[in-house]
Amino acid sequence: MSKRGMALQVFRDLPQFHKDIIVKGAENYIQDYKNTHPNDLVGEYSVNPYEFLDNVMFMNYQEEVKAETGYDEELGF
């Protein structure tokens, strides 16, 4: 079984509140990755889904990560 398949199996067996935490972490990780790797147009993320779950990496990404647009809220532009 592939690591992606193993990650899906583990994810499927989790309670819903764990799934919610993992999805939130994944969304924030993806945005953080996009902010720090703007030239990666294909989305070759540095962590595969199995490692993301197995290493509990999703807990490091529970705070919202906003897209870096260059807009400064304090300056208004």
Side-chain angles (χ1 to χ4, degrees):
M1 181 180 286
S2 71
K3 285 191 174 189
R4 185 180 192 123
M6 291 186 323
L8 183 57
Q9 182 68 35
V10 168
F11 185 80
R12 245 191 315 229
D13 294 338
L14 293 172
Q16 186 60 46
F17 72 94
H18 280 154
K19 291 177 184 177
D20 294 342
I21 291 169
I22 292 166
V23 169
K24 180 179 180 180
E27 289 171 345
N28 290 327
Y29 167 75
I30 289 168
Q31 187 58 61
D32 182 65
Y33 183 89
K34 287 179 179 179
N35 289 348
T36 56
H37 299 84
N39 295 328
D40 181 0
L41 303 177
V42 180
E44 294 184 15
Y45 307 111
S46 60
V47 177
N48 70 53
Y50 182 78
E51 298 299 323
F52 192 76
L53 290 176
D54 191 48
N55 294 330
V56 194
M57 188 175 162
F58 55 87
M59 291 304 292
N60 296 331
Y61 293 93
Q62 289 302 298
E63 290 189 31
E64 182 181 6
V65 177
K66 295 186 178 191
E68 291 184 4
T69 63
Y71 179 82
D72 188 318
E73 291 183 19
E74 289 182 20
L75 296 176
F77 59 89

